[in-house]
Amino acid sequence: MANCMVFHTQIASIMEVLANAAVAEICKLVDDDYAVFRLEITQSQKENRALRRKLQLQELKVARERAERTTQERVLASRPSSVKILDQYKGMARVTLSGEGHLTEGHRTFVKPVGHNTWRDDQPITDDEGSGTSTKNIIVIESVDAEAAGPGVKQERSEREEDPRHSREIQTGAPHVATEVPTTTAPAPPNTQHSIMEVSGTPNAFLKSETDTKTLTHRLLHTGSDHRSDPERLGRGRLGSPPANDSEYLPVFHQSQRTVNSRGDGDTLDTGVDDLSCFYTTEMEPVNIHLGLETQTDLSKGDWNQYSSSVYSEGCLDKKGVVIVVDEVTVKMEDDVPLTLNGDKTELGEGHSQGRDVLDYRESLETNPNVATQSPLHILRDRDRVSTSMGPSDSHGHFVFDQVLNSKDQRAKAQGGGATSGNGKDKRFLCMSCNKGFSCLQNVETHQRVHTGEKPFSCTQCHMRFAQAGNLKIHQRVHTGVKPFSCTQCHMRFSHSYSLKRHQRVHTGKNSTAALV
DNA sequence: CTGGGGACGGGGCCC
DNA sequence: GGGGCCCCGTCCCCA
C-alpha cells in the first residue's frame, strides 16, 4: 500500500514535470512564432509604408504633370488649331513633312501654319510621353532662313529646291503630296522662299488652283489613289482594256502620277512601320479632317507601334491599300529602333528572307483591325483610278518631264532598246512616254516610275526613296553595313555584287567569280 | 577605284 | 498554261 502511494506520488511528480516541460515547449513555440509573426508584421508595415510613400510620390508626379499640361494647354490655346492637331500626335518619335524631309531626331518637330508667326521656335512643351516629365523642343519651320529654324532642323525648303525629283514633280504637274487648305490664306508670293507651311497653307505652286470643294475633293481622291495603287496598278487597270488596233504592242499610258512622297519610311512595320508610313493632315479642310482624324483614331489606339515596326515602304502600304490621307504637310512616325527590315535580317537572310518584310507588313496589317481594307478611301481611289485613266493627253506634263529625262531615256533605250529598236515581238508592252518596249507588264510598270517619279519604297533609316524594292534593299546595306560580297583575292567586301565583279577586274583584268559569303 | 543609286531582265512562286 | 507578283542579279552611271 505504501509502495502504491510512493508510486503514485512519483507518477504525479513525473506528470508534473512532463506537463511543465510541455508547457515550456509550447510557450517556447508560441514565443518563436510570435516573434516571427511580429517580424512579418513589422515587415509588412514597412512595406505598407514604402508603398504608401510611393503612392504619394506618384500622386505628386501626376499632379505636377497635370499642372504642366494645364500650362501647356494654356499655351496651346493661343496657337492655331492645326498646331493643336499636331500636338495630338504625341508618341511619334519623329515628325516629318511630306517629301524627303527628315527632320531632326530627338525633337518634336511641328509645323507652323501660315500666318501664325507668333509661335516661336524651340518653344518648350511638356511631353507626357514616357516618364511624363521630359521636356522637348518644338521646332517650327517657318518661311525664314535656315538659321532661324535652328541647327537641328533640316531645311525642307532648300531640300525641296534642290531635290531634282521635286522639281520633276513640279514639271510633271504631279502633286507632291497634296495638301489643300483652301481657306483664308492668300497665295504666297511666287517669288518668296517657300517654306513648308507656305506650301501647305496656300495653293500649291505646282498645282492647279483649286478653290472649290469639289475640286479639292478630287484632289484628295487623287491622293488616295496614288497611295493605294501605284502606277503599276493603274497601268494595269488600263491595260485591261483591249490593245490598240493595228498594233502588236500594248500601249501603256502613264498618267500624271505624283510621287508618293511622304515618308522618309519606313519599313515596315515593315514597319511596317514602318511603317510604316502614315500621313496626317495638319491643316485639314472638312474632307481631310474626316479622313485624317479617322486615321488618327486608329493609330492612337496603340497601333502606331505596329505600324512603325513593320512598314518599311510605302509601296507596301500601297499594295495593302492602307493609306492615310496625305496632304502636303504630312506627319510621319518612325521608330527610332531598327525596323523589321534590318541589317541583321538582311545579312543573315540574304537570299532567303529577302522580301519577307513585305509579308511581315501585310500580316501586321491583316491583324490590325483598325486597318480597314474597305475604307471609303478605297472607293474613292477606285473612282479616281477611273478618272486618271486617261490617255497621254492627260499627262502632258510628262512631255516636259520626258524632255528632262531625255538623256536618261536615251540611255535606257541604249541599254534595253526601245520597242522601235528591234526585238519588238518579245517586248509587247510599250511605254507611251518613251516608246520603250518591255516583255513584261511588270517591267513596264516599274519602268514608268522613271517618268512618274514615283518612289514608293522608302528607307526607314533615312529619307531615301526608291522606285524598286530591290534597290531599297540594297540601299539598306548602307545602314546595316552588310557587305555580303567579298573578294577572294584581297578580302575586300562589297555591298553590291557588281561592285565586287568590277573590283575583281583589278586583280584579273577579266571576269572573276564572285564569292558570296 | 569604290560607294551607291537607277534601271532592266528574268526566274520562281502562286492563283 | 498563263498571268501577276515578288525578288534577285546585273549593268550602267555618277560622285
Side-chain angles (χ1 to χ4, degrees):
Chain A
M1 197 56 183
N3 285 340
C4 186
M5 287 292 289
V6 172
F7 183 68
H8 275 282
T9 304
Q10 288 177 348
I11 288 178
S13 64
I14 290 173
M15 290 281 289
E16 188 177 357
V17 170
L18 287 176
N20 288 340
V23 168
E25 189 81 13
I26 290 171
C27 288
K28 189 185 175 199
L29 286 174
V30 169
D31 286 344
D32 290 344
D33 288 345
Y34 180 70
V36 172
F37 186 57
R38 278 292 297 262
L39 192 63
E40 288 177 354
I41 287 178
T42 306
Q43 287 179 346
S44 296
Q45 286 176 345
K46 280 182 183 174
E47 289 176 359
N48 278 341
R49 274 196 295 272
L51 288 173
R52 211 171 295 142
R53 213 173 303 141
K54 223 179 210 174
L55 181 63
Q56 287 176 351
L57 285 175
Q58 293 281 355
E59 287 175 353
L60 278 174
K61 202 172 180 180
V62 170
R64 200 182 319 144
E65 289 175 2
R66 202 172 299 148
E68 289 174 352
R69 209 173 300 136
T70 304
T71 305
Q72 176 187 343
E73 286 174 358
R74 235 177 283 139
V75 172
L76 293 179
S78 61
R79 288 192 221 164
S81 59
S82 59
V83 177
K84 292 178 190 173
I85 292 172
L86 279 172
D87 285 342
Q88 295 176 6
Y89 305 124
K90 290 179 179 177
M92 297 178 183
R94 203 181 300 170
V95 178
T96 64
L97 303 175
S98 66
E100 312 295 326
H102 245 242
L103 299 178
T104 306
E105 302 179 33
H107 289 284
R108 290 292 151 82
T109 306
F110 293 145
V111 179
K112 182 171 67 70
V114 175
H116 295 277
N117 294 322
T118 55
W119 188 28
R120 293 305 309 164
D121 298 356
D122 297 333
Q123 179 177 358
I125 63 169
T126 300
D127 183 359
D128 57 357
E129 164 194 17
S131 65
T133 56
S134 64
T135 298
K136 298 189 179 182
N137 293 331
I138 297 176
I139 306 297
V140 180
I141 299 179
E142 295 182 279
S143 56
V144 292
D145 294 341
E147 292 80 9
V153 176
K154 199 172 189 176
Q155 287 303 303
E156 188 80 4
R157 175 186 56 78
S158 58
E159 181 174 346
R160 280 175 173 237
E161 289 175 353
E162 295 168 0
D163 190 355
R165 283 169 292 182
H166 180 62
S167 59
R168 200 181 304 163
E169 289 160 10
I170 293 175
Q171 288 174 342
T172 58
H176 195 281
V177 178
T179 289
E180 203 55 40
V181 181
T183 52
T184 57
T185 52
N191 55 351
T192 57
Q193 293 177 329
H194 285 266
S195 73
I196 307 297
M197 287 316 299
E198 284 177 337
V199 176
S200 163
T202 61
N204 198 324
F206 44 86
L207 290 176
K208 295 174 183 176
S209 65
E210 300 168 4
T211 54
D212 56 15
T213 304
K214 181 179 177 181
T215 312
L216 187 58
T217 304
H218 176 74
R219 272 270 308 281
L220 180 66
L221 302 185
H222 185 79
T223 299
S225 171
D226 288 341
H227 273 281
R228 178 162 188 266
S229 51
D230 51 21
E232 298 182 353
R233 276 139 195 85
L234 294 173
R236 193 167 296 138
R238 285 188 299 279
L239 287 171
S241 58
N245 294 338
D246 301 335
S247 173
E248 64 176 317
Y249 298 113
L250 300 178
V252 178
F253 302 101
H254 68 77
Q255 67 284 357
S256 292
Q257 283 276 346
R258 64 161 179 71
T259 301
V260 179
N261 203 354
S262 50
R263 237 185 86 81
D265 78 58
D267 284 249
T268 23
L269 267 196
D270 196 310
T271 245
V273 223
D274 44 109
D275 181 145
L276 185 35
S277 297
C278 295
F279 309 94
Y280 287 102
T281 322
T282 54
E283 293 198 356
M284 306 171 184
E285 65 132 356
V287 175
N288 294 355
I289 284 175
H290 169 67
L291 297 168
L293 292 182
E294 177 178 280
T295 302
Q296 187 219 345
T297 300
D298 292 343
L299 296 175
S300 63
K301 293 175 182 175
D303 294 320
W304 266 116
N305 288 335
Q306 196 174 357
Y307 276 87
S308 64
S309 63
S310 55
V311 171
Y312 86 104
S313 77
E314 286 157 5
C316 301
L317 281 174
D318 292 346
K319 290 176 175 62
K320 198 63 187 180
V322 179
V323 176
I324 301 161
V325 176
V326 186
D327 256 9
E328 278 166 328
V329 177
T330 61
V331 180
K332 180 192 74 173
M333 178 209 176
E334 288 182 359
D335 265 348
D336 289 337
V337 296
L339 302 177
T340 303
L341 187 58
N342 54 26
D344 294 338
K345 188 171 183 179
T346 304
E347 173 145 32
L348 298 176
E350 197 73 29
H352 299 286
S353 66
Q354 287 179 351
R356 296 276 72 81
D357 304 280
V358 175
L359 296 180
D360 292 345
Y361 159 72
R362 287 182 167 179
E363 291 169 3
S364 68
L365 283 181
E366 287 167 0
T367 57
N368 183 358
N370 293 323
V371 176
T373 57
Q374 295 300 328
S375 67
L377 201 55
H378 291 87
I379 300 171
L380 300 178
R381 287 192 198 106
D382 290 340
R383 226 183 297 162
D384 179 63
R385 185 177 304 171
V386 174
S387 67
T388 56
S389 298
M390 302 178 185
S393 62
D394 182 45
S395 57
H396 59 87
H398 283 96
F399 290 111
V400 179
F401 177 56
D402 290 342
Q403 289 172 5
V404 173
L405 294 181
N406 196 24
S407 60
K408 276 201 169 187
D409 284 346
Q410 286 177 351
R411 174 163 60 91
K413 287 176 182 176
Q415 285 184 10
T420 57
S421 63
N423 56 8
K425 185 177 181 180
D426 290 336
K427 304 194 172 185
R428 299 178 298 132
F429 301 100
L430 181 65
C431 175
M432 291 301 289
S433 296
C434 63
N435 279 340
K436 186 175 180 181
F438 295 85
S439 58
C440 176
L441 176 60
Q442 183 76 23
N443 290 341
V444 70
E445 289 170 349
T446 301
H447 158 77
Q448 286 192 321
R449 291 176 184 158
V450 173
H451 304 298
T452 63
E454 184 194 10
K455 296 184 175 183
F457 303 97
S458 63
C459 178
T460 58
Q461 319 271 331
C462 68
H463 66 280
M464 288 292 298
R465 307 180 63 85
F466 300 89
Q468 297 184 22
N471 289 339
L472 168 62
K473 183 176 177 58
I474 294 173
H475 157 76
Q476 288 191 321
R477 293 175 186 159
V478 174
H479 303 299
T480 62
V482 173
K483 293 184 176 182
F485 306 97
S486 65
C487 178
T488 57
Q489 305 194 30
C490 69
H491 302 296
M492 278 192 69
R493 302 178 69 90
F494 303 90
S495 59
H496 289 63
S497 62
Y498 189 75
S499 294
L500 170 63
K501 185 174 182 179
R502 184 182 53 189
H503 159 77
Q504 288 185 322
R505 294 173 190 160
V506 175
H507 298 302
T508 65
K510 282 290 183 178
N511 292 337
S512 179
T513 57
L516 261 175
V517 176

